[in-house]
């Protein structure tokens, strides 16, 4: 009897059914992953419905030079490869290894969540969540690597933007002086972000932030009841601090990541040049278009809207109004945003949905192959025998 009762409890868990005597309301588990998939699909559909430029962008692209557009796509793909490989390099320095495909997947997921959340705040947390789920990499470890990755990219971002600003200052002052204050403000904010995130690797500062998180938990009853969160914060602090503990062994990877971030940022800023050429323009040098794009990026990157939407389009019109002069500025904005923003959002959403389906199928196979699943069949057979 005791054995039968134990099997009964195991079977109830395997079939997601509460044991006899428990309330019916506890029998069903909310399918969060399926709800997440549905929400993603709805978000992308709404995204397309509320962006009227989708109606004209394909018609505009059809009339452009296909060779240059293809080069723009290739440059974007190489940029994604850099994104994944630099992160793999930093993760490797922490003692964790992921494949090239996993690095690319992580890169696209990070960009997708950054593009759909205010101030690009969703990318790194979701990357850490996926790495914990798929590779069992502690959140503190992955967060440290992602912040180092972000800092390296920001250093390249500010360095190239400062060089562009210095080189283009005379022309900007003569032709478009109104955008200079925005560039200076953007350089200041992005420079301060490097200092802020670097300070997190100073242990007393990290400890105070974690201590504040614990205090914040104590202010909310629903968080206080989750005692495991306190241990999670302590674990996060210890894992995150491991980067500082063995910093000397990670200096080479840090320097390599910073050096690789420079061509990565240049690749990202180069897409507009190929769009510029696809529209039939050829009287402006690659370096000038690259410089203008980097200054545009630095002047709007701190805007709180998802993907800096609105600010990017307005900024493009201000920065490139003297370059797209054949009454095609608006068309250029649409094509540029399509290749640098909308395609990433669409591809990221497809990846999220596909990944959730693959993950659910994997968990289902594991559940069916587990001893508990075998006990379900055994319990059913014994129950049949008892009835007879």
């Amino acid at each position: 009897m005791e054995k039968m009762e134990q099997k009964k409890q195991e079977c109830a868990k395997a079939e997601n059914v509460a044991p006899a005597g428990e309330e019916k309301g506890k029998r069903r588990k909310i399918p969060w992953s399926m709800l997440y998939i549905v929400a993603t699909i709805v978000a992308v559909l709404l995204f397309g419905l509320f962006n009227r430029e989708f109606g004209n962008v394909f018609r505009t692209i059809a009339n452009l030079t296909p060779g240059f557009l293809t080069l723009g796509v290739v440059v974007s793909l190489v940029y994604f490869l850099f994104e994944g490989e630099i992160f793999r390099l930093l993760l490797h320095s922490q003692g964790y290894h992921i494949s090239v495909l996993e690095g690319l997947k992580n890169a696209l997921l990070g960009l997708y969540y950054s593009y759909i959340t205010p101030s690009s705040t969703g990318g790194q947390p979701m990357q850490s969540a996926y790495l914990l789920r798929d590779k069992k990499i502690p959140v503190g470890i992955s967060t440290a690597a992602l912040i180092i990755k972000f800092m390296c990219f920001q250093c390249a971002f500010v360095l190239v933007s400062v060089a562009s600003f210095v080189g283009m200052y005379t022309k900007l002052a003569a032709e478009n002086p109104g955008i200079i204050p925005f560039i200076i403000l953007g350089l200041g904010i992005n420079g301060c972000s490097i200092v802020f995130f670097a300070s997190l690797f100073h242990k007393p500062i990290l400890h105070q932030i974690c201590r504040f998180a614990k205090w914040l938990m104590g202010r909310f009853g629903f968080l206080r009841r989750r005692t495991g969160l306190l241990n999670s914060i302590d674990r996060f602090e210890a894992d995150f601090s491991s980067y500082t503990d063995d910093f000397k062994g990670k200096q080479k990877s840090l320097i390599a990541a910073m050096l690789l971030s420079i061509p990565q940022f240049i690749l990202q800023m180069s897409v507009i040049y190929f769009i510029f050429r696809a529209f039939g323009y050829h009287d402006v040098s690659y370096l000038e278009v690259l410089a203008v794009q980097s200054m545009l990026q630095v002047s709007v990157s701190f805007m709180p809207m998802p993907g800096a939407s609105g600010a990017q389009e307005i900024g493009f019109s201000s920065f490139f109004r003297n370059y797209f002069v054949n009454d095609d500025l608006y068309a250029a904005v649409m094509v540029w945003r399509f290749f640098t923003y909308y395609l990433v959002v669409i591809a990221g959403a497809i990846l999220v949905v596909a990944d959730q389906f693959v993950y659910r199928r994997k968990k289902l196979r594991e559940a069916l192959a587990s001893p508990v699943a075998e006990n379900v069949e055994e319990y059913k057979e014994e129950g049949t025998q008892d009835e007879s």
Side-chain angles (χ1 to χ4, degrees), residues 368-379:
L368 292 175
S370 68
V372 173
E374 294 175 3
N375 286 339
V376 171
E377 297 300 324
E378 185 182 344
Y379 169 70

Side-chain angles (χ1 to χ4, degrees), residues 44 117 123 135 176 192 209 240 256 260 275 279 312 360 377 383:
V44 172
T117 52
K135 307 299 293 183
N176 204 354
C192 289
I209 292 174
F240 191 96
L260 289 171
I275 293 174
F279 272 83
Q312 287 276 16
R360 283 176 62 84
E377 297 300 324

Side-chain angles (χ1 to χ4, degrees), residues 68-190:
F68 284 112
L69 289 179
T70 302
L71 285 173
V73 172
V74 170
V75 165
S76 297
L77 293 176
V78 178
Y79 162 76
F80 291 141
L81 183 61
F82 267 84
E83 182 78 8
E85 288 302 291
I86 293 172
F87 179 63
R88 285 182 68 228
L89 172 70
L90 292 169
L91 210 54
H92 177 75
S93 72
Q94 294 279 68
Y96 292 88
H97 306 275
I98 59 175
S99 68
V100 174
L101 285 177
E102 287 168 335
L104 285 171
K105 170 188 168 182
N106 190 265
L108 182 54
L109 287 172
L111 290 171
Y112 167 69
Y113 285 108
S114 292
Y115 283 3
I116 64 171
T117 52
S119 299
S120 302
T121 52
Q124 285 85 357
M126 291 305 298
Q127 284 174 295
S128 293
Y130 275 96
L131 287 167
L132 177 64
R133 187 198 73 178
D134 297 334
K135 307 299 293 183
K136 301 300 182 285
I137 297 176
V139 174
I141 297 289
S142 59
T143 301
L146 286 165
I147 289 179
I148 291 292
K149 167 73 182 68
F150 174 76
M151 286 170 53
C152 291
F153 187 81
Q154 285 295 98
C155 287
F157 182 15
V158 172
L159 179 64
V160 175
S161 299
V162 167
S164 300
F165 183 51
V166 171
M168 293 287 294
Y169 181 80
T170 303
K171 186 170 184 177
L172 288 174
E175 298 179 2
N176 204 354
I179 61 178
I180 292 178
F182 293 99
I183 298 172
I184 295 173
L185 178 62
L187 288 171
I189 291 175
N190 284 281

